[in-house]
Amino acid sequence: MAGVDEAGRGPLAGPVVAAAVILDDQQPIKGLADSKKLTARQRERLFDEIRAKALCCCIAEASVEEIDQLNILHATMLAMKRAVEGLRLKPGLVLVDGNRIPVLKVPAEAIVKGDDKVQAISAASILAKVYRDRLCLQLHEAHPQYGFDQHKGYPTADHLAALREHGAIDAHRRSFAPVRAVLDLTARSEP
């Protein structure tokens, strides 16, 4: 059985990331929980332990361009499908956090609040979150004026202010209203 979850549906920048994990019953991992309920330090520690002990796992993403082209829901489903298809072992069942499932070649079930109920989904949630947070740190190094290390791309007051002041970069999702509004303002102010 594989657990699947995503990170990054709400941010204004960066890809949406999904992970699929098949845990090894012979190597239990203590402390698995919904990634949002763990500290950054706990997630980092568990990320390495999951990668070391899981039978297999795969982290996949859908790009900013795919998000803008497909919309965030369909891009999320695409990232999840890629994560499942990237597993070294074919699962007999896929359990997906939430109320929707991607189109897969194996049986799948959606579980609302699955990241609290199913350890494999908790593990997937942690992998996706840590991986995406690391991408945001790379974005911060390239564009420190936006503060990606703090808000991880979410539409905080600081991020919105930076977006208005500095404009959008390639990592911003152009189909999201706050980014589109800044781009429209920029287009109108150009001669």
Side-chain angles (χ1 to χ4, degrees), residues 5 29-38 42-43 46 50 114-119 121-127:
D5 201 0
I29 301 170
K30 284 186 176 38
L32 289 176
D34 173 0
S35 65
K36 293 181 282 303
K37 295 182 177 178
L38 300 169
Q42 289 171 317
R43 287 192 300 267
L46 285 165
I50 293 162
D115 46 7
D116 263 341
K117 301 172 184 170
V118 178
Q119 290 220 314
I121 296 177
S122 298
S125 142
I126 292 163
L127 291 187

Side-chain angles (χ1 to χ4, degrees), residues 42-178:
Q42 289 171 317
R43 287 192 300 267
E44 285 287 342
R45 181 187 60 76
L46 285 165
F47 181 91
D48 293 335
E49 190 174 355
I50 293 162
R51 303 231 351 167
K53 291 183 174 179
L55 288 176
C56 64
C57 56
C58 180
I59 301 170
E61 56 185 78
S63 69
V64 170
E65 294 78 19
E66 288 170 324
I67 292 166
D68 287 340
Q69 185 180 14
L70 301 171
N71 79 32
I72 188 60
L73 174 63
H74 290 99
T76 301
M77 294 297 118
L78 178 61
M80 288 180 168
K81 179 179 173 32
R82 287 173 174 161
V84 172
E85 290 176 351
L87 289 170
R88 183 176 48 81
L89 303 171
K90 184 178 177 182
L93 175 65
V94 174
L95 300 179
V96 179
D97 182 52
N99 59 5
R100 294 178 183 252
I101 52 174
V103 176
L104 299 169
K105 294 177 181 152
V106 293
E109 219 176 283
I111 300 181
V112 175
K113 298 196 186 308
D115 46 7
D116 263 341
K117 301 172 184 170
V118 178
Q119 290 220 314
I121 296 177
S122 298
S125 142
I126 292 163
L127 291 187
K129 173 86 173 113
V130 170
Y131 181 88
R132 191 172 190 293
D133 284 356
R134 289 176 180 177
L135 290 177
C136 287
L137 289 177
Q138 291 171 9
L139 261 181
H140 177 71
E141 287 172 16
H143 306 279
Q145 68 273 29
Y146 290 92
F148 287 110
D149 62 328
Q150 296 299 309
H151 55 65
K152 307 295 190 275
Y154 283 90
T156 63
D158 287 345
H159 188 190
L160 294 172
L163 190 58
R164 285 189 296 274
E165 184 179 345
H166 304 291
I169 58 173
D170 287 346
H172 279 106
R173 300 172 180 177
R174 274 128 177 80
S175 59
F176 280 44

